[in-house]
Amino acid sequence: MELPKITDLEVAGKRVLLRLDLDIPPGDFSRIEAASQTLDYLKENQVEIIILGHRGRPTGDKEKDKDLSLLPLQPYFDKWGAKVEENLRFDPGEVANDPEFARKLALMGDVYVNEAFAVSHREHASIVGIPKFLPHAAGFRFIEEVAHLGKKFPKPVAVLISGVKEDKVEMAKKLAKIYDKVLVGGRLPEYFGDEALVSIRSQNSDLLLGNLTTDKEDITLNTIQRFKEEIKKAGTIILAGVLGRYEDEGHRQGTKEIFEAVAVSSAYKIAGGGDTEAALTMFNLTAKFDWISVGGGAMLEFLVSKTLPGIKALVE
């Protein structure tokens, strides 16, 4: 996929609207650091950098939403001479992808750069609207994401998808139609109904649902063993989500054992998502992976569709 690159744009001395993923936990700057090459490049070109982003889901109540302000991040961006704009979601036009709101944002800059792969599966004004009004391109990290996730993977490909959100059920089913084996953990198996009771004993299913412990906070020992068997066979392993409530030592076994099994595998290894990266960091396994995506949902959506709304907005 040929994305327009930031190096193809005339940016010197211009105002650049830089869309970043700022929906991050307090004190965690890893996703911003992932964009440091782009920030450095813009600074070197004496650009007026205007940072766009969002945090959380504002309610419209100013008092309740004050903790979602992005302005406290300003000191972090001072080293690049960048200015942080307020949380885009404070205006309903962002999520609604309102053309007038996109136009209003576009008027603040001369050029637009998307360095927010993790939220580029959202059809929001700052992702798909602004590129209609300004010269645009993808940032360095964004281009790397597409290159790593879009390559032809060594087969067989095993996807481990976990989490607590029920909407991942449909994603797991879509993945099973594309890849060789999909292993399902976290709370997701319980959303499959009666199918979840027998899947772990199925030897041939493309979609292998883990069984959960009694309190549903981890996968069972039998599931750990079955998943490890599939991991050993894989040529590529894609890790998306933790297998249980790993923050609690008493429910950490499934996540720890499976992540460690993936880490020592000779397969090509990809991981994505905030919890996934946090767990890999806890277990000191990040260096064992070939690529760690800044996105969880965006990564999965790209693996299914081979594009994202944010990508389409840049290439169309």
Side-chain angles (χ1 to χ4, degrees):
M1 182 181 297
E2 280 299 318
L3 281 170
K5 300 176 177 62
I6 187 173
T7 50
D8 297 331
L9 286 176
E10 290 289 337
V11 297
K14 295 187 177 180
R15 299 173 301 162
V16 175
L17 299 180
L18 179 61
R19 181 50 159 105
L20 296 180
D21 176 17
L22 302 179
D23 194 16
I24 52 179
D28 181 1
F29 300 108
S30 59
R31 289 188 177 181
I32 300 176
E33 288 298 327
S36 61
Q37 185 180 0
T38 293
L39 284 160
D40 290 342
Y41 176 82
L42 294 175
K43 182 180 179 181
E44 289 167 6
N45 280 272
Q46 299 180 327
V47 164
E48 181 183 340
I49 307 171
I50 301 162
I51 304 295
L52 302 180
H54 78 271
R55 173 178 281 171
R57 298 172 184 240
T59 63
D61 184 317
K62 289 185 177 181
E63 185 61 30
K64 291 181 179 179
D65 293 341
K66 64 182 180 180
D67 290 339
L68 299 180
S69 173
L70 294 181
L71 300 186
L73 290 175
Q74 181 61 61
Y76 184 85
F77 287 99
D78 285 345
K79 58 186 172 182
W80 289 289
K83 178 189 176 185
V84 178
E85 290 293 321
E86 187 53 282
N87 189 340
L88 294 174
R89 288 190 180 177
F90 283 172
D91 191 307
E94 166 66 359
V95 174
N97 189 22
D98 179 60
E100 287 307 311
F101 181 63
R103 186 190 301 274
K104 178 182 175 182
L105 293 174
L107 288 172
M108 294 192 298
D110 305 305
V111 173
Y112 170 81
V113 175
N114 188 341
E115 190 60 293
F117 178 85
V119 293
S120 286
H121 56 317
R122 308 293 187 193
E123 293 193 31
H124 293 171
S126 65
I127 298 294
V128 301
I130 298 178
K132 296 177 181 178
F133 301 105
L134 294 177
H136 50 266
F140 290 108
R141 176 65 185 221
F142 197 116
I143 292 167
E144 282 191 278
E145 289 279 358
V146 173
H148 279 87
L149 299 177
K151 66 172 56 178
K152 187 175 182 180
F153 299 135
K155 292 176 71 68
V157 179
V159 181
L160 285 84
I161 180 171
S162 304
V164 297
K165 296 179 181 178
E166 192 169 356
D167 59 5
K168 279 190 174 181
V169 168
E170 290 306 312
M171 180 61 71
K173 291 179 180 179
K174 290 177 182 178
L175 290 164
K177 294 178 181 179
I178 300 170
Y179 299 105
D180 301 290
K181 188 71 69 171
V182 175
L183 315 178
V184 182
R187 281 290 181 89
L188 301 187
E190 70 173 324
Y191 302 133
F192 283 82
D194 293 341
E195 188 179 353
L197 301 176
V198 298
S199 180
I200 197 62
R201 292 187 288 274
S202 171
Q203 301 300 306
N204 300 310
S205 174
D206 294 333
L207 189 66
L208 194 58
L209 307 178
N211 287 334
L212 304 182
T213 54
T214 304
D215 61 8
K216 299 181 180 180
E217 299 289 0
D218 202 353
I219 55 175
T220 63
L221 294 176
N222 183 43
T223 298
I224 292 173
Q225 186 56 42
R226 274 294 281 121
F227 281 11
K228 284 183 177 180
E229 291 172 7
E230 297 300 332
I231 289 168
K232 289 178 181 178
K233 301 174 188 176
T236 298
I237 302 169
I238 300 167
L239 198 55
V242 293
L243 284 300
R245 190 152 61 91
Y246 75 97
E247 309 95 321
D248 178 0
E249 189 173 357
H251 299 99
R252 188 174 297 166
Q253 184 173 5
T255 300
K256 188 172 188 295
E257 288 200 28
I258 294 302
F259 278 31
E260 288 176 343
V262 173
V264 300
S265 166
S266 60
Y268 182 74
K269 297 178 281 290
I270 293 174
D275 285 337
T276 306
E277 185 172 3
L280 289 173
T281 300
M282 174 185 286
F283 304 139
N284 296 313
L285 299 175
T286 55
K288 302 290 186 180
F289 281 71
D290 297 282
W291 183 250
I292 298 181
S293 175
V294 295
M299 178 186 77
L300 292 173
E301 186 63 43
F302 182 86
L303 291 172
V304 168
S305 305
K306 301 306 179 186
T307 190
L308 297 172
I311 292 174
K312 291 180 181 178
L314 294 178
V315 300
E316 291 180 353

